Amino acid sequence: MEYTLEVFLDDYRLGKIKGSSVESNIETAFGGELKVLKVKVGEEVKGDILKAFETARIDSRACITDTPVAFKRALFEEIAKQKSLGEEVVKAVLANIDSIKEQAAKESDYLPAPEIETE
């Protein structure tokens, strides 16, 4: 089975891939409001991602979601570097998984849980 990792793009990221072959693979989401790149991976890489991040899961679209921001950032940087959306970009990111896990562990310091008002 094939699984998908989605990488959402802002103006900065669009600028980094402008003119590359990756640019032609940009898709839109949410009624055209967001731009996204999709990286397809197989069973082995999917398993590696799920093992690496306890929050990661597979949704009903066979999309791997709930990965840490540090992983998503590293994935985009590797896409921009290799100018590719192949499985090899994910494998290159997973080769640095220890560093990414360290960065991901710090995310809760930057992304505190929302405050919920009770009445």
Side-chain angles (χ1 to χ4, degrees), residues 6 40 92 108:
E6 294 180 324
K40 307 286 186 191
S108 62

Side-chain angles (χ1 to χ4, degrees), residues 7-17 72-73 76:
V7 180
F8 289 95
L9 306 171
D10 58 10
D11 290 338
Y12 170 76
R13 287 180 172 183
L14 285 168
K16 287 192 81 168
I17 61 169
K72 293 173 188 174
R73 185 178 303 122
F76 173 77

